[in-house]
PDB file of all heavy atoms in Angstrom:
ATOM      1  N   GLU A 769     105.013 153.194  21.001  1.00 81.00           N
ATOM      2  CA  GLU A 769     105.860 153.388  19.790  1.00 81.00           C
ATOM      3  C   GLU A 769     106.249 154.808  19.587  1.00 81.00           C
ATOM      4  O   GLU A 769     107.395 155.254  19.258  1.00 81.00           O
ATOM      5  CB  GLU A 769     105.272 152.750  18.565  1.00 81.00           C
ATOM      6  CG  GLU A 769     105.312 151.037  18.547  1.00 81.00           C
ATOM      7  CD  GLU A 769     106.625 150.667  18.579  1.00 81.00           C
ATOM      8  OE1 GLU A 769     107.580 151.278  17.887  1.00 81.00           O
ATOM      9  OE2 GLU A 769     106.961 149.550  19.082  1.00 81.00           O
ATOM     10  N   ARG A 771     105.909 157.316  21.689  1.00 83.00           N
ATOM     11  CA  ARG A 771     106.878 157.826  22.727  1.00 83.00           C
ATOM     12  C   ARG A 771     108.348 157.356  22.685  1.00 83.00           C
ATOM     13  O   ARG A 771     109.279 158.160  23.050  1.00 83.00           O
ATOM     14  CB  ARG A 771     106.210 157.611  24.098  1.00 83.00           C
ATOM     15  CG  ARG A 771     105.052 158.277  24.277  1.00 83.00           C
ATOM     16  CD  ARG A 771     104.094 157.819  25.489  1.00 83.00           C
ATOM     17  NE  ARG A 771     104.859 158.014  26.845  1.00 83.00           N
ATOM     18  CZ  ARG A 771     104.175 157.760  28.022  1.00 83.00           C
ATOM     19  NH1 ARG A 771     103.043 157.043  28.052  1.00 83.00           N
ATOM     20  NH2 ARG A 771     105.018 158.036  29.050  1.00 83.00           N
ATOM     21  N   VAL A 772     108.487 156.150  22.294  1.00 85.00           N
ATOM     22  CA  VAL A 772     109.857 155.537  22.044  1.00 85.00           C
ATOM     23  C   VAL A 772     110.537 156.319  21.049  1.00 85.00           C
ATOM     24  O   VAL A 772     111.698 156.671  21.179  1.00 85.00           O
ATOM     25  CB  VAL A 772     109.732 154.044  21.790  1.00 85.00           C
ATOM     26  CG1 VAL A 772     111.119 153.529  21.359  1.00 85.00           C
ATOM     27  CG2 VAL A 772     109.397 153.298  23.107  1.00 85.00           C
ATOM     28  N   ARG A 773     109.821 156.505  19.865  1.00 85.00           N
ATOM     29  CA  ARG A 773     110.347 157.195  18.801  1.00 85.00           C
ATOM     30  C   ARG A 773     110.794 158.791  19.215  1.00 85.00           C
ATOM     31  O   ARG A 773     111.889 159.236  18.869  1.00 85.00           O
ATOM     32  CB  ARG A 773     109.431 157.321  17.598  1.00 85.00           C
ATOM     33  CG  ARG A 773     110.069 158.230  16.442  1.00 85.00           C
ATOM     34  CD  ARG A 773     108.971 158.151  15.317  1.00 85.00           C
ATOM     35  NE  ARG A 773     108.831 156.900  14.713  1.00 85.00           N
ATOM     36  CZ  ARG A 773     107.645 156.220  14.841  1.00 85.00           C
ATOM     37  NH1 ARG A 773     106.647 156.637  15.672  1.00 85.00           N
ATOM     38  NH2 ARG A 773     107.546 154.942  14.247  1.00 85.00           N
ATOM     39  N   GLN A 774     109.891 159.340  20.049  1.00 86.00           N
ATOM     40  CA  GLN A 774     110.254 160.670  20.463  1.00 86.00           C
ATOM     41  C   GLN A 774     111.472 160.716  21.341  1.00 86.00           C
ATOM     42  O   GLN A 774     112.285 161.499  21.290  1.00 86.00           O
ATOM     43  CB  GLN A 774     109.014 161.177  21.282  1.00 86.00           C
ATOM     44  CG  GLN A 774     109.178 162.696  21.664  1.00 86.00           C
ATOM     45  CD  GLN A 774     107.725 163.209  22.223  1.00 86.00           C
ATOM     46  OE1 GLN A 774     106.861 162.422  22.389  1.00 86.00           O
ATOM     47  NE2 GLN A 774     107.792 164.463  22.417  1.00 86.00           N
ATOM     48  N   GLU A 775     111.588 159.722  22.343  1.00 87.00           N
ATOM     49  CA  GLU A 775     112.743 159.785  23.277  1.00 87.00           C
ATOM     50  C   GLU A 775     114.010 159.391  22.455  1.00 87.00           C
ATOM     51  O   GLU A 775     115.034 159.845  22.853  1.00 87.00           O
ATOM     52  CB  GLU A 775     112.482 158.615  24.289  1.00 87.00           C
ATOM     53  CG  GLU A 775     111.419 158.979  25.306  1.00 87.00           C
ATOM     54  CD  GLU A 775     111.826 160.167  26.113  1.00 87.00           C
ATOM     55  OE1 GLU A 775     113.021 160.416  26.471  1.00 87.00           O
ATOM     56  OE2 GLU A 775     110.837 160.979  26.409  1.00 87.00           O
ATOM     57  N   MET A 776     113.985 158.434  21.526  1.00 88.00           N
ATOM     58  CA  MET A 776     115.158 158.130  20.764  1.00 88.00           C
ATOM     59  C   MET A 776     115.578 159.253  19.997  1.00 88.00           C
ATOM     60  O   MET A 776     116.836 159.541  19.850  1.00 88.00           O
ATOM     61  CB  MET A 776     114.874 156.980  19.777  1.00 88.00           C
ATOM     62  CG  MET A 776     114.426 155.578  20.548  1.00 88.00           C
ATOM     63  SD  MET A 776     115.752 155.049  21.498  1.00 88.00           S
ATOM     64  CE  MET A 776     116.476 153.795  20.359  1.00 88.00           C
ATOM     65  N   LEU A 777     114.674 160.080  19.274  1.00 88.00           N
ATOM     66  CA  LEU A 777     115.154 161.268  18.631  1.00 88.00           C
ATOM     67  C   LEU A 777     115.720 162.309  19.488  1.00 88.00           C
ATOM     68  O   LEU A 777     116.660 163.004  19.165  1.00 88.00           O
ATOM     69  CB  LEU A 777     113.977 161.857  17.789  1.00 88.00           C
ATOM     70  CG  LEU A 777     113.394 161.002  16.597  1.00 88.00           C
ATOM     71  CD1 LEU A 777     112.227 161.706  15.967  1.00 88.00           C
ATOM     72  CD2 LEU A 777     114.589 160.860  15.579  1.00 88.00           C
ATOM     73  N   ARG A 843     107.699 161.694  12.836  1.00 88.00           N
ATOM     74  CA  ARG A 843     108.137 160.997  11.656  1.00 88.00           C
ATOM     75  C   ARG A 843     108.783 161.925  10.682  1.00 88.00           C
ATOM     76  O   ARG A 843     109.843 161.664  10.018  1.00 88.00           O
ATOM     77  CB  ARG A 843     107.119 160.160  10.873  1.00 88.00           C
ATOM     78  CG  ARG A 843     106.530 159.060  11.785  1.00 88.00           C
ATOM     79  CD  ARG A 843     105.506 158.161  10.879  1.00 88.00           C
ATOM     80  NE  ARG A 843     105.102 157.105  11.582  1.00 88.00           N
ATOM     81  CZ  ARG A 843     105.740 155.860  11.718  1.00 88.00           C
ATOM     82  NH1 ARG A 843     106.821 155.702  11.093  1.00 88.00           N
ATOM     83  NH2 ARG A 843     105.134 154.886  12.468  1.00 88.00           N
ATOM     84  N   GLU A 846     112.140 162.741  11.960  1.00 89.00           N
ATOM     85  CA  GLU A 846     113.036 161.462  11.770  1.00 89.00           C
ATOM     86  C   GLU A 846     113.566 161.428  10.396  1.00 89.00           C
ATOM     87  O   GLU A 846     114.798 161.171  10.162  1.00 89.00           O
ATOM     88  CB  GLU A 846     112.273 160.142  12.153  1.00 89.00           C
ATOM     89  CG  GLU A 846     113.057 158.920  12.071  1.00 89.00           C
ATOM     90  CD  GLU A 846     112.295 157.690  12.537  1.00 89.00           C
ATOM     91  OE1 GLU A 846     111.080 157.707  12.522  1.00 89.00           O
ATOM     92  OE2 GLU A 846     112.953 156.823  12.902  1.00 89.00           O
TER      93      GLU A 846
END
Side-chain angles (χ1 to χ4, degrees):
E769 288 296 328
R771 292 168 66 179
V772 167
R773 180 180 292 106
Q774 187 172 8
E775 289 297 324
M776 296 294 266
L777 289 180
R843 291 189 180 275
E846 186 176 18

